[in-house]
Amino acid sequence: MMTRKEYEDSLRKMNLNVWFMGEKIENPVDHPIIRPSMNSVGMTYELAQMPEYQEVMTAVSNLTGKRINRFCHLHQSTEDLKNKVKMQRLLGQKTASCFQRCVGMDAFNAIYSTTYEIDEACGTEYHKRFVEYLKYVQDNDLVVDGAMTDPKGDRGLSPSQQEDPDLYLHIDEVREDGIIVSGAKAHQTGAINSHEHLIMPTIAMREEDADYAVSFACPSDAEGILMIYGRQSCDTRKSEEYHDIDPGNTEFGGHEALVVFDRVFIPKERVFMCREYQFAGMMVERFAGYHRQSYGGCKVGVGDVLIGAAALAADYNGVPKATHIKDKIIEMTHLNETLYACGIACSSEGKQMKAGNYMVDLLLANVCKQNITRFPYEIARLAEDIAGGIMVTMPSEADLRHPELGKVVRKYLVGAKGKHVENRMRILRLIENITLGTAAVGYRTESMHGAGSPQAQRIMIARQSDLESKKEMARNIAKIDVSLDH
Ligand code: SF4
Ligand code: FE
């Protein structure tokens, strides 16, 4: 396993084609706005080296027998599935942001089981190739950007009906030695901090969309790849002269990027689906299931920090004993633990797949994510309620550090007796960061749209809910004689 430092150095060696705000970024590792998101990924390495976290952060590979980072692991039991969620909660607590490495882990598990079933049906050799690829990833402890979401253009049209074929990533050419692909993957979590991209289709496909049914892996700096870093609310606070208080979370962050493929060559050893359109939906459903489980861990960990921050804000405001404040904290905790319960439940009810690895219970994972589209918003609302309007109206750190203005800021931002003004500002800015700033990408809007927007879960809930058997239960209890109906 790599250390955090070795991970950083390994990224420095890559020749990434990254752009941010109209400029090519030659050194993303040390860029003040990008660096915090890399620090979050760095924690997935750092914690894995610590003996007290070994059980949750690492696992023994079923492919090589070696101890590996859990982010590279194929789940071998429901215990593994639960440990995954616990690891994500832990990292959410340590970073208060998206730590990005889960998309790769979820892709490994989805592609491993799907390629097994493609091979079984089609006589292909994708599974064997994928196993070789995953051994390479595990042995080198790589970060992999599991990439699913296409830009999608006109949402009313299928991939092959789009005016511009690149709006869904697709095969341009199949050659003897590999394939050529073009298109893009949008809002790719952690793309710039990843060694590899691992691509999956974004929706179920029909025969006419066969060129869009493609899965493959390539290095993030492969020829023909361009990445545009997505900007976030309040991101430039990280590059201001005074950037110790105002960003709210100076060390950690997450990021998303638009990743564009312009006729990128993929050698055939790295191709895991090539026009088997019947299996696109299976791969999507499995990846989405795992990632919907993931949110029952990571968002809960960030929620823990937000609950703590709200309680501290009450202390700094001088009202920790007010009954309505206590009740709001209880409500936040209740909602947050309900999300965790969903993450653990869909893991406990997991089942072994034909390929051997374990899959979460899809109905419960979709219920988990559906709750995630709601509860973090309510938790954030309560945190803002407790913090007070000052969390978004207070003067800047530059004012605090100013020789004259600083005195005014200290005089009028004072809160509870004995509490330091600067500390009060820090905790309020942290709440702002999680609910409205750079971390809000991961905590709020991603809770809505990440791992699929709410409607995608409702479709899965409808499909998995087995309504007919419930009707039968009701018929039996009500002693309905169906022969009387017509
Ligand atoms: Fe991991 Fe959560 Fe970020 Fe997805 S949103 S990559 S599950 S931390
Ligand atoms: Fe996500």
Side-chain angles (χ1 to χ4, degrees):
M1 291 186 288
M2 275 201 273
T3 63
R4 180 171 170 177
K5 172 82 174 48
E6 285 165 342
Y7 160 64
E8 285 170 22
D9 291 343
S10 68
L11 279 189
R12 271 178 224 284
K13 287 185 198 129
M14 299 199 73
N15 185 23
L16 300 171
N17 184 12
V18 180
W19 292 72
F20 180 57
M21 294 183 75
E23 274 177 35
K24 176 144 194 210
I25 308 297
E26 295 301 340
N27 174 9
V29 172
D30 298 305
H31 190 282
I33 293 179
I34 301 176
R35 177 76 193 196
S37 73
M38 207 201 62
N39 289 341
S40 294
V41 183
M43 286 302 275
T44 70
Y45 288 93
E46 192 173 317
L47 298 185
Q49 304 275 342
M50 297 166 74
E52 62 266 45
Y53 297 128
Q54 195 192 46
E55 196 190 328
V56 77
M57 290 298 307
T58 69
V60 174
S61 167
N62 63 305
L63 303 179
T64 65
K66 294 181 201 157
R67 187 159 286 279
I68 54 168
N69 193 300
R70 188 175 290 283
F71 280 99
C72 299
H73 187 50
L74 296 165
H75 316 300
Q76 297 300 302
S77 61
T78 54
E79 207 52 39
D80 266 349
L81 288 169
K82 283 188 279 184
N83 275 332
K84 171 196 160 183
V85 172
K86 288 177 188 176
M87 168 178 77
Q88 290 166 315
R89 184 171 189 172
L90 173 71
L91 274 152
Q93 292 169 343
K94 297 283 186 194
T95 63
S97 67
C98 166
F99 35 88
Q100 308 146 59
R101 205 172 167 184
C102 329
V103 278
M105 166 177 55
D106 291 342
F108 301 148
N109 278 276
I111 298 175
Y112 184 78
S113 66
T114 306
T115 50
Y116 185 93
E117 290 175 47
I118 303 177
D119 289 0
E120 205 180 50
C122 307
T124 42
E125 54 173 47
Y126 298 129
H127 189 68
K128 203 169 85 203
R129 287 181 192 169
F130 186 70
V131 167
E132 288 312 307
Y133 174 66
L134 195 55
K135 281 189 202 162
Y136 162 73
V137 168
Q138 291 182 345
D139 286 346
N140 292 284
D141 202 5
L142 300 180
V143 177
V144 176
D145 160 35
M148 177 159 279
T149 310
D150 289 290
K152 298 201 280 283
D154 184 331
R155 269 64 173 169
L157 301 175
S158 73
S160 55
Q161 290 168 340
Q162 302 287 330
E163 216 164 281
D164 180 349
D166 292 343
L167 291 170
Y168 284 80
L169 199 145
H170 58 93
I171 302 163
D172 284 318
E173 241 180 83
V174 179
R175 298 185 351 195
E176 190 72 358
D177 53 347
I179 58 174
I180 310 269
V181 296
S182 289
K185 290 289 180 183
H187 24 86
Q188 285 312 301
T189 296
I192 284 141
N193 297 326
S194 297
H195 303 99
E196 293 267 320
H197 297 306
L198 177 55
I199 306 300
M200 297 160 283
T202 197
I203 46 169
M205 305 275 175
R206 286 194 289 259
E207 193 171 356
E208 58 270 29
D209 300 322
D211 282 345
Y212 299 83
V214 62
S215 174
F216 61 86
C218 66
S220 310
D221 56 359
E223 180 83 34
I225 291 183
L226 157 76
M227 296 191 276
I228 308 178
Y229 194 93
R231 79 166 310 182
Q232 300 170 332
S233 177
C234 310
D235 51 5
T236 46
R237 287 188 191 184
K238 294 175 189 168
S239 56
E240 287 170 3
E241 187 189 348
Y242 293 103
H243 55 266
D244 185 31
I245 298 180
D246 290 354
N249 182 351
T250 50
E251 192 174 348
F252 300 109
H255 80 248
E256 272 73 26
L258 177 67
V259 182
V260 181
F261 294 75
D262 182 13
R263 292 192 61 81
V264 176
F265 172 70
I266 312 295
K268 84 169 184 239
E269 300 72 50
R270 292 287 189 256
V271 178
F272 313 124
M273 178 191 284
C274 183
R275 294 181 170 154
E276 288 79 10
Y277 63 90
Q278 318 89 306
F279 290 89
M282 179 190 283
M283 199 179 269
V284 172
E285 197 174 284
R286 291 181 185 179
F287 173 78
Y290 284 121
H291 211 54
R292 289 169 194 174
Q293 168 211 24
S294 287
Y295 281 28
C298 76
K299 302 293 180 255
V300 179
V302 180
D304 287 326
V305 178
L306 185 54
I307 293 168
L312 281 175
D315 291 347
Y316 281 96
N317 289 345
V319 287
K321 297 211 173 71
T323 10
H324 76 100
I325 300 280
K326 282 198 211 154
D327 192 57
K328 280 164 191 159
I329 304 271
I330 292 168
E331 179 64 10
M332 292 165 84
T333 306
H334 158 70
L335 292 169
N336 205 42
E337 297 300 333
T338 303
L339 298 176
Y340 185 57
C342 291
I344 292 295
C346 70
S347 307
S348 304
E349 293 289 293
K351 296 270 171 333
Q352 191 169 28
M353 307 299 285
K354 280 186 184 172
N357 62 334
Y358 272 67
M359 179 70 212
V360 292
D361 181 276
L362 277 181
L363 176 58
L364 294 180
N366 278 277
V367 168
C368 177
K369 174 67 215 311
Q370 184 79 181
N371 283 332
I372 299 273
T373 66
R374 300 171 182 170
F375 295 180
Y377 283 80
E378 181 61 10
I379 295 169
R381 189 184 74 81
L382 291 165
E384 288 184 37
D385 181 349
I386 292 169
I390 191 75
M391 122 197 179
V392 287
T393 63
M394 77 180 130
S396 68
E397 185 185 351
D399 298 316
L400 179 76
R401 306 283 180 229
H402 188 276
E404 294 306 316
L405 292 175
K407 292 178 208 149
V408 180
V409 173
R410 283 173 203 282
K411 176 176 163 72
Y412 288 106
L413 258 70
V414 82
K417 193 161 171 243
K419 300 282 187 201
H420 200 279
V421 166
E422 198 173 306
N423 286 341
R424 181 168 182 240
M425 290 174 77
R426 283 180 189 277
I427 208 66
L428 292 169
R429 287 293 183 207
L430 174 59
I431 296 174
E432 183 195 30
N433 172 264
I434 298 174
T435 58
L436 301 166
T438 53
V441 178
Y443 191 66
R444 279 182 69 139
T445 314
E446 194 186 43
S447 287
M448 181 69 76
H449 294 293
S453 306
Q455 189 57 22
Q457 289 113 53
R458 298 187 83 78
I459 292 166
M460 282 300 291
I461 289 170
R463 215 185 284 161
Q464 300 281 329
S465 65
D466 194 6
L467 192 56
E468 281 314 311
S469 78
K470 293 185 171 74
K471 282 185 176 174
E472 191 53 29
M473 292 167 203
R475 274 190 208 106
N476 287 339
I477 298 286
K479 301 197 189 319
I480 283 181
D481 178 355
V482 279
S483 69
L484 299 176
D485 295 333
H486 47 134

